[in-house]
Amino acid sequence: DAGITQSPRHKVTETGTPVTLRCHQTENHRYMYWYRQDPGHGLRLIHYSYGVKDTDKGEVSDGYSVSRSKTEDFLLTLESATSSQTSVYFCAIGGATDTQYFGPGTRLTVL
Amino acid sequence: GENVEQHPSTLSVQEGDSAVIKCTYSDSASNYFPWYKQELGKGPQLIIDIRSNVGEKKDQRIAVTLNKTAKHFSLHITETQPEDSAVYFCAASPNNDMRFGAGTRLTVKP
């Protein structure tokens, strides 16, 4: 595996609570991505970053925010979690028109 | 934005047979087409990719073909083995917003 870790790996939370997921890379890649994976939808891009403090929205960004203060860390925040945000979240590094390497995923359940 | 459709959603083959998964895309600006394999409980892993200036690419038992005119591309796995059982995703990327197909669950029966 490329040097990508995600934390936590599993989380159960309640509706309305804030949640932050962390992605950490040791590959010094400029680009980092957050995807969510749901049955029947494949992977959908939430947000991506093309450098420290440089981020942009993806296909399903509503309800999510991101931050990147260091090259190695990309944080995904759900300000007020909803049941529709129950999903498996994957971080990836690499170029959009080049190989992307995925982390092991975080399974989030919002009750 | 780009829209990627993938078929079939499930595929079952006997060990040793070939498997073919097909994808179509909508954005003619897409120029990079990767295929990912995802095993249970793991993140997707790239198995092969093709760029728009190439019509076919092969890597041992795996091959990908691209028809830019028809906007479709296919994954071919020959001499399938039980360890090929997984979910496979195609994707198309015109820019920073890579779009994935919904996935194909491949089962190889011994």
Side-chain angles (χ1 to χ4, degrees):
Chain A
D1 291 341
I4 309 170
T5 56
Q6 293 185 232
S7 58
R9 293 293 314 279
H10 301 271
K11 185 169 182 68
V12 179
T13 191
E14 294 188 352
T15 298
T17 60
V19 176
T20 295
L21 309 183
R22 179 180 183 242
C23 177
H24 179 78
Q25 61 143 333
T26 58
E27 306 297 320
N28 202 33
H29 257 289
R30 179 182 170 196
Y31 284 86
M32 297 184 75
Y33 307 82
W34 276 108
Y35 292 90
R36 61 177 289 173
Q37 184 175 40
D38 305 288
H41 289 279
L43 292 125
R44 291 181 291 175
L45 182 66
I46 305 171
H47 281 279
Y48 68 95
S49 170
Y50 47 97
V52 173
K53 294 188 174 17
D54 292 323
T55 65
D56 206 348
K57 296 178 179 180
E59 182 186 1
V60 290
S61 60
D62 288 348
Y64 302 94
S65 62
V66 291
S67 65
R68 191 165 177 204
S69 59
K70 298 185 290 184
T71 298
E72 56 267 35
D73 289 327
F74 192 30
L75 303 181
L76 177 71
T77 297
L78 291 65
E79 300 290 346
S80 178
T82 67
S83 58
S84 64
Q85 293 176 312
T86 292
S87 187
V88 181
Y89 291 86
F90 287 99
C91 173
I93 63 174
T97 55
D98 206 346
T99 306
Q100 288 191 16
Y101 299 94
F102 285 82
T106 294
R107 184 173 294 276
L108 176 66
T109 302
V110 183
L111 302 176
Chain B
E2 174 63 276
N3 181 47
V4 177
E5 295 191 357
Q6 181 172 346
H7 300 279
S9 57
T10 60
L11 180 60
S12 182
V13 300
Q14 288 295 134
E15 183 177 359
D17 287 351
S18 295
V20 180
I21 303 170
K22 298 182 179 182
C23 289
T24 61
Y25 63 99
S26 61
D27 190 339
S28 57
S30 286
N31 54 20
Y32 177 65
F33 306 90
W35 285 89
Y36 287 85
K37 175 183 181 182
Q38 187 177 26
E39 296 175 337
L40 195 62
K42 296 185 178 180
Q45 186 170 19
L46 182 79
I47 54 172
I48 195 166
D49 57 10
I50 191 167
R51 298 189 183 275
S52 57
N53 59 346
V54 176
E56 184 174 357
K57 184 176 179 181
K58 201 171 184 180
D59 183 3
Q60 299 182 0
R61 297 186 297 108
I62 294 173
V64 58
T65 58
L66 171 65
N67 183 326
K68 285 184 61 180
T69 303
K71 295 197 186 73
H72 66 71
F73 55 114
S74 300
L75 177 71
H76 304 254
I77 306 174
T78 58
E79 300 173 19
T80 53
Q81 301 167 2
E83 51 264 39
D84 294 329
S85 294
V87 179
Y88 292 81
F89 293 95
C90 63
S93 181
N95 47 38
N96 278 317
D97 189 1
M98 187 177 291
R99 299 293 176 101
F100 287 78
T104 296
R105 182 174 299 280
L106 173 65
T107 303
V108 180
K109 300 176 183 177

